[in-house]
Amino acid sequence: MKALVVDDSRTMRSILARILGDLGIDVEQAVDGKAALERLIAGDLPDIALVDWHMPNMTGIELLNEIRHRPELSRVRVLMVTSESEPDQIGIALDAGANEYLIKPFTPDAIAGKLEMIGLGEGSTATTTW
Amino acid sequence: MTIDALTDDVIADITRTMWAAIVDDSHDLEDATSSGEGDLTASVKIAGTWNGTFFITLSAAAARQAAARMFACDGAGLSDADIRDAAGEIINIIGGNLKALLPPPVTLSLPHVAHGGAHALEGADVLSDMHFAWLDEPIIVAVRRGRREP
């Protein structure tokens, strides 16, 4: 399985990469939504993108909208990982097409649980063909 | 607008909870009476029904040790940019969770990080100054009400 971590904080990218790596997931990183979109358009689609909300150049919601409005990208699952914790914000992200939503801070178990809910957990039959 | 939710107790509780979750769950933030000026300050601004800024100020040693724990390393190889980034992420998470206590709509800025004890905003109302000690190093969490840039 491959994941794309999209966060402008190198610290957070490092934390998420470590957790995902421990779960046996290959991790790529992007520093903002614009860099992530360029990588996705280039064609090597991940199974899932873990996306922060507030980033320079292109926010997580803007990236999510791009992913969901481009047929060639729409199969990428999106887990929003953000410090935005209000129900209204969660609703905005889910309405825009996020598969799941995780509020910072989080635990490794929470990440694993969200992957399971999305159908990408250990033992899941959901796979992506490259 | 009066924000009854942003009391010292609530700010301290959320700060301790977030600190334990993202930095160190084995050493609590302890109450301290005074923490000095600090060497690095990270802040996020809130705008909307309430306008203000959340700050965290750390000593150089606290900032490096906190970053080391977040990067899961010994800290020796961390750059100044890494340490600033980690401090920014700490206040981003604390601020995001404090923001949830405010009446919507309110927006959270990207973190701003500066050297020194930059939490003393000229012209802003002092809402809270919480002094902590972590591993004997000073940490200040401050809340200011006002529109001034940090």
Side-chain angles (χ1 to χ4, degrees), chain A residues 23-58:
Chain A
L23 293 171
I25 298 170
D26 294 332
V27 181
E28 295 188 349
Q29 303 180 22
V31 299
D32 57 33
K34 183 171 180 287
L37 183 61
E38 290 170 353
R39 182 171 298 221
L40 292 171
I41 290 172
D44 191 13
L45 295 187
D47 298 275
I48 185 169
L50 293 83
V51 180
D52 186 22
W53 189 304
H54 295 289
M55 295 179 287
N57 300 318
M58 179 184 285

Side-chain angles (χ1 to χ4, degrees), chain B residues 41-94:
Chain B
T41 296
S43 61
V44 287
K45 289 188 291 184
I46 300 291
T49 59
W50 185 87
N51 296 284
T53 308
F54 300 133
F55 299 88
I56 188 165
T57 298
L58 308 102
S59 69
R64 179 171 291 278
Q65 290 184 60
R69 288 169 189 263
M70 296 173 78
F71 279 98
C73 67
D74 64 9
L78 291 175
S79 67
D80 183 61
D82 292 333
I83 294 168
R84 291 164 61 98
D85 184 89
E89 193 59 24
I90 291 169
I91 197 60
N92 178 52
I93 292 174
I94 292 173

Side-chain angles (χ1 to χ4, degrees), chain A residues 19 23 79 102 106-117 122:
Chain A
I19 291 171
L23 293 171
L79 170 59
L102 185 60
F106 48 79
T107 63
D109 285 347
I111 293 284
K114 291 295 183 182
L115 294 179
E116 189 74 39
M117 292 172 71
E122 282 186 307

Side-chain angles (χ1 to χ4, degrees), chain B residues 24-54:
Chain B
D24 183 6
D25 61 0
S26 56
H27 300 90
D28 291 337
L29 289 181
E30 299 173 355
D31 289 330
T33 53
S34 177
S35 311
E37 281 296 305
D39 299 308
L40 189 71
T41 296
S43 61
V44 287
K45 289 188 291 184
I46 300 291
T49 59
W50 185 87
N51 296 284
T53 308
F54 300 133

Side-chain angles (χ1 to χ4, degrees), chain B residues 120-140:
Chain B
L121 280 183
E122 184 181 350
D125 296 333
V126 176
L127 200 65
S128 182
D129 274 324
M130 308 295 298
H131 294 259
F132 301 100
W134 174 65
L135 303 176
D136 296 324
E137 291 293 331
I139 293 171
I140 304 167

Side-chain angles (χ1 to χ4, degrees), chain A residues 79-111:
Chain A
L79 170 59
M80 293 296 294
V81 184
T82 170
S83 56
E84 288 285 351
S85 55
E86 296 95 316
D88 286 354
Q89 302 296 86
I90 297 172
I92 288 170
L94 295 177
D95 287 347
N99 296 87
E100 272 295 338
Y101 195 101
L102 185 60
I103 298 168
K104 298 174 184 176
F106 48 79
T107 63
D109 285 347
I111 293 284

